[in-house]
Amino acid sequence: MTLTGRTFGHWLLGLALVIGTKIAAAAGLMTPADGSEPPLSIREQHVTVDVEDGYAVTEVEQVFHNPHDRDFEAWYSFPVPRQAAVAEFTVWIDGKPVTGEVLEKQKAREVYEQEKAAGRDAGLMEKDDYRTFDVFVSPVRAGQDTRVRLVYLQPTFVDTGIGRYVYPLEEGGVDEERMAFWTANDKVEQHFTFTMNLRTGYPVEAVRLPKHPQAQVEQLGPQQWRVTLDSRAGAKASAEQGAAVPDEGEDPASPATAFRLDQDVAVYWRHAADLPGSVDLVAYRAAGASRGTFMLSLTPGDDLKPISTGSDWVFVLDISGSMQGKLATLTEGVSQALGKLRPGDRFRIVLFDDRATELTNGYVVVNPENVRHYVKRVQAVGPQGGTNLFDGLKLALRPLDADRPTGIVLVTDGVANVGVTDQKKFLELLETHDIRLFTFVMGNSANRPMLTALTDASKGFAVNVSNSDDIVGQILLATSKVTHQAMNNVKVDIDGVKTADVTPERLGTVYRGRQMVLMGHYWGQGPAEVTLTAEVGGEKRRYKTRFEFPASGGDNPELERLWAYATIEGMQRELNNFGDNADLRNGIVDLGLEYGLVTNHTSMVVVREDMFQQYGIDRANAKRRDIERLAKAQREQQAPVSNRVDGSQPMFKGHRPSMGGGGGGGAFGPLAWLPFLILLLGGWWRQRR
């Protein structure tokens, strides 16, 4: 889809706001698989997060207690974090931790079922597409504790000087069958801890948790911080105010030490202002290997000019049953947004549940009387029926005034279940229009793959938003994307060193302040010339630098899994967009098996150590985890180092964009930030003209 010449006179700008809710089906809830008994109590949950430049490793260890008088199979579930690759699932068997191995999905299920039928200890982790990781453990012994450990890796990004990590705990509330099954046990009874170790190559000025002000934040050095949440620390604080705290040796299962699991943990960090634009390289090559893996991060300087203008607005509102508990917030946000429109602007309001209808009769001129009238009508709407997202979008796309720029604000959880639900049809619908879709995905059960695909097709960008986020901070980050020029048709070429398997294959449009991260394989060593080309305001720009690729070594073996999972995600998007393809499926299975990753087509199974040998299952993942743990221990012995490689020949001029000291205000509920969209979206029209 190429947009040139007079087509700039008419633009369709979309924003998908995916609304979540605080339904307390806490992450890590273990319950009898047949639903015959209440959930097991969660005695302990300990979360350790290690954030390095470019990625984070999250380790979750939990202890469940079976208070019932019989053994049974238990089901354990937690939300899939964005772009997260599970590297380890461990179950304690006879008091010893046993790490799982990855098999093709059906084979893993068969092994687990055989072990379960034989009465031997076993565990199974499967991925339920974008929704959850589902874990089965059998048997959970009567009156005893069960200990499990999960480890997952995910990329991290710094945007306009702001880094962000979210530990997901909230259920999104869109899977009605699953929610009907759960009887939520949303607290850790004895001890909850969350520890995040932040290590970065650039100075960090501040760290904050918008919804967890009780967290302890320590600066260990200019590039190293630690964040700690401890339920017992909270209990001690309560004791200082007169509340009782159990003594050592007493059963700590009391309200004083219980920690509720109904809210995501969101952590922000802000880099120092006036940092230079830069190119950073992290590489890893195992001893004796001819091929290495690299992560290349490009952070441009602030050379994109500001722009400004205004437009028409179409609000497309999901009023389906899955919006129960969210609609009041939605209508309040829309009410505030309408109140922020300027005289002379116009708006339409489209509603959809099982079908799509228009609340307005064409465009309505913005004035106080019209705004009050339609605010009352929106507030009178109640949630009902299914989600016909396709018809809602289709109605929003007509009629459009070619002489006026138009902004579309789509408010939904993205789970289409009525009418057209095929992702390919959504993409075809967007291809018939000149559109930019900026997606704020909120809610751990939202259909991120489909909304991200729509965003990619429109050359927009997607941001996942949690209820625990600093929403104002998120909007401050997003504002600069549409009030400044963007880099279009971005390409990065590497010459001098052989590289291949680079992901993502296409960078497309890059907005102000956003990092570009490329991963791939390389052979050999020595100097490489890296060239970035882009179109800005109709002009072609070229940025260059030169640096060395290392011959061997590196302390980041996790890069191999991160590359593999990024590649798998690209292949899965192809399957989602264009239908089943045996070669792609087999490719995902092969990568999952080689790198020990849980995917839509591979699963991780745990059996007794002697049974791995009997089934002929190689302990490849256990060995890989040993290498990763050793590397982590070695990194911890050193101060963080800079991975910048273009210092002698900078690729970018000037400082990188930064939020400075204004990293966001207070924490707001979802959609409270919607009034800011008028300013946020309007600027994009100027850029495109």
Side-chain angles (χ1 to χ4, degrees), residues 36-206:
S36 60
E37 303 283 357
L40 281 67
S41 60
I42 306 172
R43 287 200 161 176
E44 296 182 31
Q45 179 164 326
H46 304 287
V47 183
T48 303
V49 184
D50 292 287
V51 178
E52 307 280 344
D53 278 333
Y55 67 93
V57 181
T58 303
E59 180 176 306
V60 185
E61 191 167 310
Q62 293 179 290
V63 178
F64 299 89
H65 180 70
N66 179 6
H68 309 297
D69 59 1
R70 65 182 182 90
D71 299 350
F72 50 73
E73 177 189 28
W75 178 20
Y76 168 42
S77 182
F78 70 102
V80 175
R82 183 173 180 263
Q83 297 178 296
V86 168
E88 177 186 336
F89 168 47
T90 292
V91 178
W92 269 251
I93 298 176
D94 295 334
K96 297 180 180 180
V98 180
T99 298
E101 296 294 337
V102 170
L103 303 176
E104 187 274 328
K105 195 167 191 173
Q106 183 58 39
K107 177 62 176 176
R109 169 61 71 169
E110 290 172 0
V111 169
Y112 172 74
E113 292 294 343
Q114 290 174 21
E115 291 301 286
K116 184 176 71 172
R120 291 187 289 266
D121 294 273
L124 177 70
M125 170 176 281
E126 298 177 325
K127 188 181 180 189
D128 180 19
D129 198 19
Y130 61 87
R131 299 175 186 84
T132 59
F133 287 112
D134 292 331
V135 178
F136 298 87
V137 178
S138 179
V140 174
R141 307 293 183 183
Q144 295 185 24
D145 290 345
T146 295
R147 182 183 294 269
V148 298
R149 180 170 64 222
L150 305 167
V151 177
Y152 59 85
L153 298 82
Q154 63 191 124
T156 60
F157 303 94
V158 174
D159 190 335
T160 322
I162 303 293
R164 173 175 168 270
Y165 170 87
V166 175
Y167 176 57
L169 287 169
E170 302 172 20
E171 215 318 301
V174 296
D175 189 337
E176 295 179 3
E177 181 179 352
R178 178 184 292 268
M179 291 307 299
F181 177 84
W182 295 113
T183 302
N185 182 356
D186 62 349
K187 65 180 182 296
V188 176
E189 293 186 345
Q190 293 188 0
H191 197 194
F192 172 89
T193 60
F194 173 91
T195 303
M196 190 180 95
N197 301 303
L198 172 64
R199 295 164 51 88
T200 172
Y202 295 94
V204 171
E205 288 186 337

Side-chain angles (χ1 to χ4, degrees), residues 564-579:
Y565 199 71
T567 302
I568 287 170
E569 282 198 311
M571 299 166 77
Q572 188 63 53
R573 280 194 296 271
E574 290 290 307
L575 289 175
N576 294 341
N577 293 349
F578 304 110

Side-chain angles (χ1 to χ4, degrees), residues 620-675:
N621 191 53
K623 296 172 185 175
R624 185 179 286 273
R625 281 298 296 143
D626 287 342
I627 292 171
E628 291 169 345
R629 278 191 287 265
L630 178 60
K632 173 188 171 182
Q634 291 173 341
R635 293 195 301 267
E636 289 175 344
Q637 298 303 312
Q638 311 169 34
V641 297
S642 172
N643 295 307
R644 185 179 182 187
V645 289
D646 71 329
S648 61
Q649 187 178 336
M651 173 175 272
F652 306 107
K653 295 180 180 179
H655 300 297
R656 63 180 70 177
S658 172
M659 296 298 293
F668 288 79
L671 270 187
W673 44 272
L674 200 52

Side-chain angles (χ1 to χ4, degrees), residues 26 92 212 283 405 440-441 479 484 494 666:
W92 269 251
H212 294 86
F440 287 73
V441 183
T479 301
H484 287 69
I494 303 174

Side-chain angles (χ1 to χ4, degrees), residues 391-428:
D391 280 1
L393 279 174
K394 188 176 180 180
L395 182 56
L397 295 175
R398 66 174 195 268
L400 297 174
D401 190 334
D403 295 328
R404 291 173 63 94
T406 303
I408 290 187
V409 178
L410 169 65
V411 185
T412 180
D413 56 26
V415 182
N417 55 24
V418 175
V420 177
T421 59
D422 184 1
Q423 182 168 298
K424 186 177 180 180
K425 297 295 184 182
F426 280 86
L427 294 173
E428 291 173 351

Side-chain angles (χ1 to χ4, degrees), residues 252-278:
S254 72
T257 55
F259 186 89
R260 299 196 69 83
L261 298 175
D262 58 356
Q263 191 173 66
D264 295 345
V265 180
V267 184
Y268 285 89
W269 60 96
R270 187 179 72 240
H271 281 286
D274 298 331
L275 292 176
S278 65

